[in-house]
Amino acid sequence: MFELVADALPLAVVASTPLLLAVEGELVVQRSGIINLGIEGMMLVSAMTAVLAAQLTKSVAIGFLGGVGGALLVAALFGAFAIAMRADQIVTGTAINLLALGVTSFVYQELQQGAIFVQSVPRMHGDFVLPLAWVVFPIALALVLWNTSFGLRLRACGENPTAVPHVARYRWSALAIEAFLAGLGGAYLSLGLSSGFAENMTAGRGFIALSIVIFGRWKLKGALLGTAIFGLAAALQYALQAASYGLPFHLLLAIPYVVTLLILCGVAGRVRAPESLGVR
Amino acid sequence: MKRLLIAAAAACVALLLLALSALAFGHDPRELLAILVRGSVGSPFAIAGTLLKSVPLLLTGLSVAIAFRAGVWNIGGEGQFIAGALAGLLGARYGVIVSLLAAMLAGAAWASLATAMRLWRNAPEVLTTILLNFIAIHLLGWCVNGPLQERAAQYPQTDAAAATLPALGSVHFGVVLALAASIGSWWLLYRTAEGLRLRATGLNPSAARWAGIRVSAQLARAMAVSGAAAGLAGGIELLGVTHRLFERFAAGYGYAGIAVALLAQLHPLAVVASALFFGALTTGAGELQRTAGISSGVATLGQAVVILVLIGVDYVRTRR
């Protein structure tokens, strides 16, 4: 049993990388006082735009750029409603997710004849995203959030927005950072982990990311720990599938979501969210 | 009257945007709109299809309207719909009434899991309800491939339920039940003390607490009623339309309920009209898929656009 998990461990680290990127992005945006439920749709769209860009140019690097571009577009739409119009963030996020689901399935069917989604995508040579996600970004984000005046003001927007001039500017910046990270994550999902786009391929990773941000108490150390715990549970799931102990496949598929619920409920004691999180 | 105009405008803008996106991909938007209209209201058959699609949308719309009125973020309609259908299937051997009651109870229980996690562990229901959707989907997948698979064991689906809703012309009795649920919800929200407390809690929880309302208990009851409505939707869909369960049984009705409720401005009676609009859109989108090869995902797209347009209109109105 233990060996099974150990064998699946490297795969687990790779497989939870898009999730980690999403967690880091959502952490930044929530620190600025915004809950972006639309991160699920953001990743889904970037998974698709990454494949489109990679196929059109036959370049993985441009594919990743395309992923980030797609995420930025979704972020612009979310920000226009949630920041500029001060709309309810949960309603806006839900609408963004429906929009992403509808648009990607529409475009997917429209372009099916063009074979763009049928041919396999260009392969990645060397995994540059993995060290970025697990080492470079956490350190960089921690430095920016806790050691610069920009970071201080960004966090102040989440605690007491009336104390900060130009709140919208900081929230837009946070949203752009999130889009960059979630875009990389979405692109990694379709170009790195799988060899193309599939409808609704994010399968709730964005919502799992939101839960891990809460579990990690809006800190990067907690985010890494939460993603690691989740990754281990996922590894266990792969190991159980491979070992086929006769456990039903469909119940194993539910494990990540059950684990996420347990992670959410495992937040011992009172969690202190950013004071003005979700306040319009 | 003004709110009616806003809703109608939002619906029109959504259709316009859909036509434009079709144009962008080289389709003739007039032709597509014609198919959309023909496929949803163009014939008695199409109208029956629209009515059938509207029933689950009406009930999940009521579910969301009740929850949002109370200020509870129940995004878990999809999971509660499935829980209701599973219980409905098991209860069907004791007749239609038992089956639908079981569906409502199961929907309420599945929703109450989120309440329990909220009250005991402070886990936000907006996330727990969504996660419970995924768990319900995989639970259903397990059931139709395992313990509840049809005796012939050929397809991943259950045997037909032991009971069936009485037919009503080319639709089923669920139409009446859904309308009754709509009137009942209106009665609950606007004509009872419970409804007053529920709305007060949603408008301002701390003021409600000062007024002597037990807010946690109120939220728990609102969540249970909301879940029961979604569960009933699942039960009616099973007994009236599909008769069997299969993996993609829920088909997004739970999430669509959010758009239905918001277009109706969270009013239980307006939900009827809103559900008919989205029912027509879904039925028409199915026709688009069949005759023009366009993804039926455009119905989802329409739901999203309606919500965003409503937000935009609201913004312009309040700014003046």
Side-chain angles (χ1 to χ4, degrees):
Chain A
M1 189 66 212
F2 181 73
E3 287 136 44
L4 283 175
V5 176
D7 285 347
L9 208 55
L11 176 64
V13 173
V14 176
S16 49
T17 299
L19 179 69
L20 180 62
L21 287 163
V23 171
E24 291 164 356
E26 186 68 25
L27 187 149
V28 174
V29 93
Q30 292 206 1
R31 275 287 176 181
S32 82
I34 290 188
I35 298 175
N36 182 8
L37 212 61
I39 189 174
E40 173 81 11
M42 203 182 248
M43 287 179 91
L44 186 60
V45 167
S46 64
M48 169 170 267
T49 53
V51 171
L52 288 176
Q55 290 288 29
L56 290 175
T57 60
K58 295 290 166 208
S59 151
V60 180
I62 295 181
F64 273 91
L65 281 181
V68 171
L72 281 169
L73 272 180
V74 177
L77 197 61
F78 178 83
F81 285 93
I83 301 176
M85 299 190 201
R86 293 167 168 265
D88 187 282
Q89 294 160 12
I90 290 176
V91 169
T92 309
T94 308
I96 293 282
N97 288 335
L98 287 172
L99 188 74
L101 197 62
V103 165
T104 50
S105 103
F106 175 67
V107 174
Y108 186 67
Q109 285 213 3
E110 287 299 312
L111 298 182
Q112 281 256 289
Q113 296 92 334
I116 201 159
F117 290 118
V118 182
Q119 291 161 2
S120 61
V121 290
R123 294 306 309 167
M124 287 174 70
H125 297 295
D127 195 332
F128 64 94
V129 178
L130 199 77
L132 282 178
W134 286 92
V135 183
V136 179
F137 289 153
I139 295 174
L141 288 175
L143 284 177
V144 169
L145 281 177
W146 277 276
N147 288 301
T148 65
S149 57
F150 170 77
L152 177 69
R153 293 202 180 120
L154 191 150
R155 285 183 292 123
C157 292
E159 302 289 347
N160 185 1
T162 49
V164 190
H166 311 303
V167 175
R169 204 178 290 171
Y170 289 98
R171 291 188 166 167
W172 275 108
S173 316
L175 196 57
I177 295 172
E178 180 186 40
F180 173 72
L181 294 167
L184 275 187
Y188 190 76
L189 194 61
S190 59
L191 297 177
L193 287 185
S194 18
S195 55
F197 179 82
E199 284 188 62
N200 203 8
M201 74 184 301
T202 43
R205 277 184 181 76
F207 304 126
I208 294 176
L210 275 146
S211 312
I212 292 179
V213 170
I214 296 172
F215 168 79
R217 302 182 179 204
W218 293 271
K219 299 216 170 63
L220 282 153
K221 265 177 272 179
L224 284 168
L225 180 69
T227 313
I229 292 176
F230 182 87
L232 276 172
L236 189 68
Q237 179 209 340
Y238 298 131
L240 286 172
Q241 270 184 35
S244 65
Y245 281 124
L247 284 167
F249 170 69
H250 286 91
L251 285 187
L252 290 176
L253 287 180
I255 287 181
Y257 309 101
V258 176
V259 169
T260 311
L261 272 184
L262 294 177
I263 284 177
L264 255 184
C265 292
V267 192
R270 284 191 59 80
V271 207
R272 208 190 71 80
E275 201 65 46
S276 300
L277 183 62
V279 176
R280 294 196 226 180
Chain B
M1 193 60 213
K2 207 168 168 187
R3 292 198 308 197
L4 192 72
L5 280 176
I6 292 169
C12 288
V13 172
L15 286 177
L16 196 72
L17 281 173
L18 287 185
L20 281 178
S21 48
L23 189 67
F25 280 86
H27 298 282
D28 178 5
R30 273 170 311 178
E31 188 195 325
L32 295 189
L33 279 180
I35 297 177
L36 202 59
V37 171
R38 182 154 35 85
S40 55
V41 290
S43 64
F45 177 74
I47 291 173
T50 293
L51 283 176
L52 287 178
K53 287 268 189 260
S54 304
V55 169
L57 289 172
L58 203 170
L59 288 164
T60 53
L62 285 178
S63 160
V64 172
I66 291 167
F68 283 17
R69 281 272 176 199
V72 201
W73 292 111
N74 180 10
I75 319 283
E78 201 82 354
Q80 293 140 25
F81 186 87
I82 291 172
L86 275 171
L89 183 78
L90 297 177
R93 75 180 66 165
Y94 305 108
V96 171
I97 295 171
V98 173
S99 168
L100 292 183
L101 285 177
M104 289 172 75
L105 268 179
W110 197 254
S112 298
L113 286 176
T115 312
M117 288 186 260
R118 166 104 227 173
L119 296 182
W120 288 334
R121 307 303 300 173
N122 205 22
E125 76 277 4
V126 60
L127 289 177
T128 50
T129 50
I130 293 176
L131 292 167
L132 283 167
N133 287 344
F134 287 97
I135 295 172
I137 288 168
H138 290 304
L139 198 64
L140 176 66
W142 172 64
C143 284
V144 300
N145 283 289
L148 292 181
Q149 195 181 11
E150 58 177 357
R151 260 177 299 248
Q154 196 170 8
Y155 299 106
Q157 61 180 23
T158 63
D159 280 316
T164 310
L165 274 173
L168 208 70
S170 47
V171 293
H172 57 70
F173 192 68
V175 176
V176 178
L177 291 177
L179 285 174
S182 159
I183 296 168
S185 305
W186 171 79
W187 179 265
L188 173 76
L189 281 180
Y190 293 101
R191 288 292 180 273
T192 64
E194 170 74 9
L196 181 66
R197 285 196 300 265
L198 188 150
R199 286 182 292 129
T201 307
L203 286 171
N204 190 337
S206 44
R209 190 170 287 121
W210 280 107
I213 295 172
R214 289 180 54 219
V215 170
S216 310
Q218 193 62 50
L219 293 180
R221 284 202 297 274
M223 188 64 128
V225 173
S226 169
L232 180 64
I236 289 180
E237 184 72 0
L238 170 76
L239 298 186
V241 179
T242 66
H243 304 294
R244 296 166 188 271
L245 294 181
F246 40 88
E247 280 183 38
R248 304 196 64 172
F249 172 77
Y253 285 124
Y255 294 109
I258 298 169
V260 173
L262 289 175
L263 181 61
Q265 322 256 322
L266 306 185
H267 194 288
L269 296 179
V271 164
V272 177
S274 173
L276 281 171
F277 169 73
F278 283 110
L281 184 63
T282 311
T283 316
E287 185 68 16
L288 277 179
Q289 171 95 63
R290 281 186 297 276
T291 55
I294 291 178
S295 166
S296 54
V298 292
T300 315
L301 195 57
Q303 290 157 14
V305 174
V306 166
I307 299 177
L308 292 178
V309 170
L310 284 169
I311 296 175
V313 171
D314 207 39
Y315 173 69
V316 174
R317 271 181 70 219
T318 48
R319 213 173 50 143
R320 260 186 312 184

